[in-house]
Amino acid sequence: MFEHTIGKQSNKVKNTVERGAVKNFAEAIGDPHPIFIDEETGRQSPYKANIAPPTFPRVFDYGSIDELNLPSKGLIHGEQIYHYERPLLVGEVILCYTEVKDYYERSGKSGDMGFLKVKRYGTDFDGGLIFSEEQTVIITEAVRKEMKV
């Protein structure tokens, strides 16, 4: 179903690590640690600024891959792993993009399912990697049937 997208990448999209978005995100995940939301704590930290929670990159725009049109509902969120080279600083602007790493299908008691593995990246404007995120999206048989209509 998506084998032809393996190796394809989206265009890089500029994203800003906005203070208000970081504060709202930290509160939403129940972790309002001062390093995320208190400006004085950020200035006194080794980073000299507030940082974003580790899963904050979830809110970024990573662009799109033309041939990868997934439905907005019915998908199962599989494994997700973040790797950081350094923290995301509040106020910085970064570039984000997605690459399709793999796609395979399996049959089981729940029917035929697709497993889409994508990797997302956040870099600075010199191309230096800040973080990467690996994610598996599970496409159930019901969703697969709707997509073929």
Side-chain angles (χ1 to χ4, degrees):
M1 178 174 258
F2 291 111
E3 291 88 349
H4 64 287
T5 64
I6 295 171
K8 300 216 176 201
Q9 291 184 2
S10 65
N11 290 328
K12 293 181 179 178
V13 178
K14 190 175 7 175
N15 286 270
T16 302
V17 183
E18 298 175 352
R19 179 171 303 284
V22 168
K23 181 177 185 264
N24 291 339
F25 188 88
E27 290 172 352
I29 63 172
D31 189 6
H33 191 285
I35 192 64
F36 303 139
I37 58 176
D38 181 70
E39 290 185 50
E40 184 58 30
T41 299
R43 277 192 288 275
Q44 298 297 323
S45 77
Y47 314 110
K48 308 293 183 210
N50 292 107
I51 63 173
T55 55
F56 185 75
R58 185 74 186 136
V59 305
F60 290 145
D61 181 355
Y62 292 87
S64 61
I65 298 171
D66 289 339
E67 301 154 56
L68 187 61
N69 296 314
L70 295 172
S72 60
K73 57 184 178 180
L75 301 173
I76 297 174
H77 178 92
E79 180 179 61
Q80 187 173 25
I81 300 169
Y82 289 92
H83 175 79
Y84 276 88
E85 297 297 322
R86 66 165 177 82
L88 273 172
L89 304 176
V90 170
E92 77 176 319
V93 180
I94 65 171
L95 297 172
C96 297
Y97 64 99
T98 299
E99 178 181 14
V100 177
K101 299 302 280 185
D102 195 11
Y103 178 79
Y104 56 91
E105 297 174 347
R106 297 283 187 265
S107 294
K109 291 180 182 177
S110 300
D112 296 331
M113 294 189 292
F115 295 82
L116 180 68
K117 293 186 168 260
V118 296
K119 191 166 184 177
R120 294 174 165 173
Y121 303 89
T123 69
D124 59 27
F125 282 78
D126 295 325
L129 182 65
I130 300 170
F131 71 87
S132 62
E133 170 200 347
E134 295 178 51
Q135 179 182 18
T136 302
V137 177
I138 302 168
I139 306 164
T140 63
E141 183 170 306
V143 171
R144 291 164 48 95
K145 285 180 180 173
E146 284 186 30
M147 293 176 68
K148 291 179 180 177
V149 176

